[in-house]
């Protein structure tokens, strides 16, 4: 909330980098708010329960925000790539209208992914299995407790993971490869430090986020990935 407020109120921060950072801050605020309150209730209370409606809402929101973050991190990487590789053309390329379109694209892509994946997940029969072995309601955990053949939804999730995880990660790495080449051409040490400094925090976020979701969503029925995923999800949310 502080990041969003400062980015709005300080005129010097009315640039694309802080615009996308504000979007990421809002996204993470919603991400945490959608999961952590129920999670804390379950941690502290004697009953570890969540209603069917609550689980449904949580899954829709969780998938929406998760997919949105995948796309938004790519947009932020491309923004840094343009800023470092084409500094003189930066304001011309990353104009406000394009930034707004990219933000809408990120949020819209996440929403579409959620509207496709969530209904398919809740169409699975769960019969008497009412225990979700996870700290949040997410697709891999629900697949684990389904009494039906889940190969179709696993394939759908694998394809979605390739599109929203692997492809964005490749684009991000390619962008930072271009950034590294551009920075190494800078003769000034201070200039190199400044350029690397603007990218380090984003790379840290990328590492934490993609390290978590890749391990879980590319192997939805892997027991090891599921157990590791619970810890990583908790670490990321908190």
């Amino acid at each position: 909330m502080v990041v969003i407020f400062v980015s709005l109120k300080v005129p010097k921060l009315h640039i694309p980098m802080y615009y996308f950072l504000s979007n990421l801050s809002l996204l993470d605020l919603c991400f945490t708010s959608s999961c952590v309150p129920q999670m804390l209730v379950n941690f502290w209370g004697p009953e570890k329960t969540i209603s069917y409606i609550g689980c449904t809402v949580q899954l829709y929101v969780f998938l929406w925000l998760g997919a949105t973050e995948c796309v938004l991190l790519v947009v932020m990487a491309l923004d840094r790539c343009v800023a470092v590789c084409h500094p003189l053309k930066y304001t011309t390329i990353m104009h406000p209208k394009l930034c707004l379109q990219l933000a809408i694209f990120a949020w819209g892509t996440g929403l579409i992914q959620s509207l496709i994946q969530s209904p398919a997940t809740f169409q699975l029969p769960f019969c008497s299995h009412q225990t979700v072995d996870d700290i949040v309601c997410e697709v891999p955990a629900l697949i684990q407790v389904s009494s039906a053949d889940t190969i179709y939804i696993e394939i759908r999730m694998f394809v979605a993971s390739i599109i929203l995880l692997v492809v964005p990660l490749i684009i991000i790495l390619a962008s930072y490869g271009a950034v590294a080449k551009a920075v190494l051409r800078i003769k000034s040490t201070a200039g190199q430090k400044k350029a690397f400094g603007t990218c380090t925090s984003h790379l840290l976020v990328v590492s934490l986020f993609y390290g978590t979701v890749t391990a879980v969503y590319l192997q939805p029925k892997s027991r090891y990935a599921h157990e590791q995923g619970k810890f990583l999800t908790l670490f990321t949310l908190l």
Side-chain angles (χ1 to χ4, degrees), residues 9-20:
K9 292 296 181 181
V10 179
K12 289 183 179 180
L13 302 184
H14 292 174
I15 58 176
M17 183 177 77
Y18 287 98
Y19 175 74
F20 294 127

Side-chain angles (χ1 to χ4, degrees), residues 24-164:
L24 184 65
S25 298
L26 176 62
L27 188 149
D28 286 337
L29 182 64
C30 296
F31 220 150
T32 304
S33 301
S34 70
C35 302
V36 171
Q38 179 67 48
M39 194 168 64
L40 292 177
V41 168
N42 288 343
F43 281 163
W44 292 338
E47 296 184 3
K48 319 296 183 184
T49 60
I50 185 171
S51 67
Y52 180 82
I53 297 298
C55 185
T56 303
V57 172
Q58 193 176 82
L59 180 65
Y60 270 89
V61 174
F62 198 83
L63 282 179
W64 177 22
L65 299 177
T68 299
E69 185 155 355
C70 290
V71 180
L72 191 57
L73 289 174
V74 175
V75 171
M76 294 177 73
L78 293 174
D79 171 66
R80 292 297 83 209
C81 183
V82 174
V84 176
C85 299
H86 306 284
L88 298 180
K89 298 180 180 179
Y90 179 63
T91 54
T92 304
I93 297 173
M94 301 300 294
H95 53 83
K97 185 178 179 180
L98 178 62
C99 292
L100 177 61
Q101 290 172 341
L102 290 171
I104 292 173
F105 175 74
W107 287 91
T109 301
L111 181 60
I112 291 170
Q113 158 64 3
S114 178
L115 293 175
I116 292 173
Q117 191 71 52
S118 299
T121 302
F122 281 107
Q123 285 176 0
L124 293 172
F126 299 107
C127 298
S128 59
H129 301 287
Q130 297 179 350
T131 302
V132 179
D133 184 21
D134 210 329
I135 57 174
V136 295
C137 288
E138 54 181 345
V139 178
L142 294 172
I143 287 177
Q144 294 276 351
V145 300
S146 175
S147 57
D149 182 8
T150 60
I151 186 65
Y152 176 66
I153 194 169
E154 285 181 60
I155 292 173
R156 287 180 61 169
M157 191 169 69
F158 181 78
V159 171
S161 298
I162 295 296
I163 296 171
L164 291 170

